[in-house]
């Protein structure tokens, strides 16, 4: 049994010290344990005393039987367990954000001096809801303290972090008086483990915020430009090359021949420690607190903004983050500089690593694993790091926990062999970027290409930096079809983003590649209009009247997936489903056990119903048992069981609603 006694006592202490009358609302969807001392509202909210509600929920959770799954008990390759998981990108700041005091504003401290934005305490309360959906692994986003924003958004870029070990103070809940943010994070992870979740941390180790906590002591770990050149700073163009050209050796040779490149190189400066270490150390000792503004004022230099690693890119500068310098040496002997070759140390490694920085990053990730019992990492932008460093980071984590799993964000499946040599278990792939064409051909191509694949990719309808899948042709119908069918694709790891279970339209964080029109996803009457959940104060639509319907459907589909997990893990037990014609709008797979088989088919036409003829004349005779009955046991549009009849050609003609996913079971008895 998990012990929440310390948290409950802290909550009750704050109640004792505060006699305020509360008009505090929560979505009714959060009331997973049947708290009855509140008042239900017509808009699917509920008025509660926060002290009583959270104490009640924690008490009920203490009585829940543990289903903890320790990764140390896993067998096989290090981190191989991740291949069987269902991932959920848990946005800590927004997932449990709510306008509790009904002021029409999401505040860090509301009318009751409590957080409207997300906290670890509120995230604990939502664990039963996520458990019911079938999710098995949580990927924590927005965990670290961020730099001050340099844009019109409320928060800085998600990777503009102050320090790789500094947890965001705003995630600490004021109701837990006396528990600092680190203690609250440990309690959250302990609770998640109790519910059977495994925990990954999403982070980028290639960059930090421009004004980060490492600048003062380690200015030589960063690239610097003259402060006077900041407004003119940009990536040089290369004549004769196309837009968004990858940095090959020949392309970079042309890059160095451009006049514009020399002007770019002249903007860089040595850091103050390298220029005169003694003078810099003396100046540093005189400072009570050193930040980027003071460094700029004293030395007339500033940290370099980031730009795209592709040549002739039309993407804007990333002005809120700066790149870490992994090597002392570089192609040209001058002040350390950024170009597309130095931006890609995985392709252009040098010979003199900044060993102290490499050790620091290894120590940080190992410390996170040890101190908070993390089960692994989702490393973003790992291609901006030397491959040897990625390998060293993974090795340091696995010294703390041998079954630590590591995923990297990489869209090119052909590079998986390289990542595998570094110890990576899976890569993100490009599914969420490619599957939204009108007739879903790319989705079908992706699905069938997974058969007999050597790599594990994420099966995702959307990533945190893409538009919401509900914004594409097919809308919510498309979102549901992909959400359910992704659970049954071979050699993939289902992946869902925060807000996807409420079919959100508001984007989380549009990358520079995403069309700006998606910022207008919501009507002007919605307070979240023109906002992005990762960089603005926002919340998710828990008050949808059909919210629990989707959770119930996910629960049923994920339970069926769990029943056939053994078959889905083996190549020889997966049989593709074929239809009358190659362009029929269907995707399907059959997974076989010794005495039964699961047949899952999706109509990928999200605008029209279709009669699909499922060809079984070959598949039925490949089964390892003598079949007698075929039933439709579940559907996204029909939860009831039906007998299935074969036609005279021993095939199954079935009518599908638009975007419908049907599950059939073939039985021996």
């Amino acid at each position: 049994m998990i012990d929440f006694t310390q948290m409950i006592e802290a909550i009750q202490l704050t109640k004792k010290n505060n006699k305020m009358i509360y008009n505090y609302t929560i979505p009714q969807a959060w009331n997973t344990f049947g708290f009855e001392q509140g008042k239900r509202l017509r808009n699917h909210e509920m008025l509660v005393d926060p002290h009583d509600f959270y104490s009640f929920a924690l008490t009920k959770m203490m009585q829940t039987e543990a289903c903890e799954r320790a990764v140390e008990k896993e067998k096989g390759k290090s981190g191989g367990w991740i291949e069987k998981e269902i991932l959920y990108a848990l946005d800590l700041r927004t997932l449990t954000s709510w306008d509790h005091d009904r002021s029409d504003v999401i505040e860090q401290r509301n009318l009751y001096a409590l957080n409207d934005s997300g906290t670890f305490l509120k995230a604990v309360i939502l664990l039963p809801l996520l458990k019911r959906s079938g999710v098995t692994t949580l990927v924590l986003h927005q965990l670290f303290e961020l730099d001050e924003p340099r844009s019109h958004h409320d928060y800085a870029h998600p990777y503009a972090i102050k320090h790789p070990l500094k947890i965001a103070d705003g995630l600490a809940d004021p109701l837990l008086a006396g528990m600092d943010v680190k203690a609250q994070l440990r309690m959250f992870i302990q609770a998640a483990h109790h519910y059977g979740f495994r925990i990954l941390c999403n982070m980028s180790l290639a960059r930090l915020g421009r004004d980060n906590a490492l600048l003062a002591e380690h200015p030589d770990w960063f690239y610097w430009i003259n402060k006077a050149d900041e407004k003119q700073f940009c990536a040089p163009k290369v004549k004769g090359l196309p837009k968004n050209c990858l940095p090959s050796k020949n392309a970079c040779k042309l890059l160095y021949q451009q006049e514009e490149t020399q002007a770019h190189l002249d903007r860089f400066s040595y850091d103050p420690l390298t220029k005169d270490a003694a003078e810099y150390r003396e100046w540093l000792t005189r400072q009570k607190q050193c930040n980027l503004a003071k460094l700029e004022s004293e030395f007339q230099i500033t940290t370099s903004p980031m730009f795209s690693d592709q040549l002739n890119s039309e993407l804007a500068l990333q002005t809120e983050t700066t790149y870490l310098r992994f090597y002392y040496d570089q192609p040209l002997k001058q002040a350390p500089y950024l170009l597309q070759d130095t931006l890609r140390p995985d392709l252009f490694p040098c010979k003199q690593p900044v060993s102290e920085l490499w050790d620091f990053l290894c120590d940080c990730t190992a410390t996170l694993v040890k101190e908070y019992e993390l089960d692994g990492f989702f490393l973003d932008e790992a291609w901006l790091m030397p491959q040897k460093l990625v390998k060293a980071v993974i090795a340091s984590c696995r010294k703390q926990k041998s079954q630590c799993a590591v995923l990297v964000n990489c869209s090119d499946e052909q590079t998986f062999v390289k990542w595998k040599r570094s110890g990576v278990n899976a890569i993100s792939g490009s599914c969420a970027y490619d599957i939204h064409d009108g007739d879903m051909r790319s989705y079908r191509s992706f699905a069938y290409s997974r058969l007999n694949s050597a790599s594990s990719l994420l099966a995702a309808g959307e990533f945190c930096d893409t538009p919401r899948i509900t914004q594409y042709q097919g809308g919510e119908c498309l979102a549901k079809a992909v959400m359910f069918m992704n659970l049954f694709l071979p050699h993939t790891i289902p992946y869902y983003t925060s807000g996807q279970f409420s079919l959100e339209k508001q984007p989380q964080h549009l990358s520079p590649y995403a069309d700006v029109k998606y910022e207008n996803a919501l009507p002007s009457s919605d307070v979240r209009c023109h906002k992005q959940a990762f960089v603005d104060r926002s919340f998710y639509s828990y008050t949808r009247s059909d919210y629990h319907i989707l959770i119930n459907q996910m629960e049923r589909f994920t339970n069926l997936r769990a029943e056939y997990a053994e078959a889905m893990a083996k190549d020889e037990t997966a049989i593709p489903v074929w239809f009358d014609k190659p362009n029929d709008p269907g995707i399907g797979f059959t997974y076989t056990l010794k005495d039964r088989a699961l047949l899952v088919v999706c109509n990928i036409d999200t605008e029209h119903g279709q009669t699909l003829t499922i060809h079984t004349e070959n598949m039925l005779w490949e089964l390892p048992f003598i079949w007698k009955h075929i039933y439709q046991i579940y559907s996204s549009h029909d939860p009831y069981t039906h007998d299935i009849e074969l036609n005279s050609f021993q095939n199954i003609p079935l009518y599908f609603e638009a975007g419908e996913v049907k599950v059939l079971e073939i039985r021996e008895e």
Side-chain angles (χ1 to χ4, degrees), residues 165-329:
L165 292 177
K166 173 63 175 172
I167 309 302
D169 288 329
L171 296 174
D173 201 297
L175 286 171
L176 299 175
M179 292 182 67
D180 64 16
V181 68
K182 290 184 177 181
Q184 293 191 32
L185 172 56
R186 291 190 197 96
M187 188 62 69
F188 167 75
I189 293 178
Q190 182 184 352
H193 282 160
H194 176 82
Y195 268 82
F197 294 108
R198 284 159 176 163
I199 304 293
L200 304 182
C201 175
N202 172 263
M203 65 190 308
S204 171
L205 296 176
R207 53 173 161 166
L208 293 172
R210 295 270 304 277
D211 184 11
N212 62 76
L214 304 179
L215 289 180
E217 288 296 324
H218 304 284
D220 55 323
W221 290 1
F222 302 93
Y223 294 89
W224 297 81
I225 61 172
N226 298 314
K227 178 63 176 175
D229 293 330
E230 185 176 10
K231 291 184 178 180
Q232 292 78 35
F233 187 80
C234 63
K237 301 292 184 181
V238 182
K239 297 177 182 177
L241 291 181
K243 294 179 181 179
N244 301 319
C245 179
L246 294 175
S248 65
K249 287 185 178 180
N250 289 334
C252 287
K253 184 181 291 186
L254 286 174
L255 172 64
Y256 278 96
Q257 295 172 0
Q258 307 299 307
E259 291 184 11
E260 189 178 341
T261 299
Q262 186 56 54
H264 172 77
L265 294 172
D266 290 342
R267 295 190 175 107
F268 287 88
S269 168
Y270 287 99
D271 65 272
L273 181 64
T274 301
K275 284 182 177 180
D276 191 328
E279 181 181 347
Y280 178 70
R281 292 295 184 195
E282 182 182 350
W283 175 82
L284 198 60
T285 57
R286 297 197 302 267
Q287 308 303 312
K288 293 182 179 179
Q289 183 179 6
C290 182
N291 54 29
L292 181 59
K294 289 186 176 181
L295 286 164
E296 290 174 343
S297 176
E298 179 68 20
F299 301 101
Q300 300 304 306
I301 58 175
T302 188
T303 46
S304 170
M306 286 188 65
F307 50 81
S308 172
D309 63 322
Q310 297 179 3
L311 295 160
N312 293 346
S313 171
E314 296 182 341
L315 300 180
L317 280 178
Q318 298 179 29
T319 59
E320 295 191 311
T321 60
T322 193
Y323 187 62
L324 286 163
R325 178 187 172 197
F326 295 115
Y327 290 102
Y328 284 120
D329 55 329

Side-chain angles (χ1 to χ4, degrees), residues 84 159 310 323 348 436 449 528:
K84 301 176 184 178
Y159 296 137
Q310 297 179 3
Y323 187 62
F348 302 95
H436 309 122
S449 71
R528 301 170 296 170

Side-chain angles (χ1 to χ4, degrees), residues 343-361:
L343 261 171
R344 291 296 301 268
D346 63 326
L347 301 177
F348 302 95
C350 296
K351 297 179 180 179
Q352 301 175 29
V354 183
S355 300
E356 192 178 0
L357 171 59
W358 288 34
D359 292 343
F360 171 79
L361 294 176

Side-chain angles (χ1 to χ4, degrees), residues 611-628:
T611 296
L612 297 174
T613 300
I614 302 167
H615 280 237
T616 61
E617 64 268 35
N618 295 325
M619 180 267 291
L620 287 175
W621 315 121
E622 293 181 36
L623 299 176
F625 57 88
I626 299 175
W627 69 275
K628 293 184 179 180

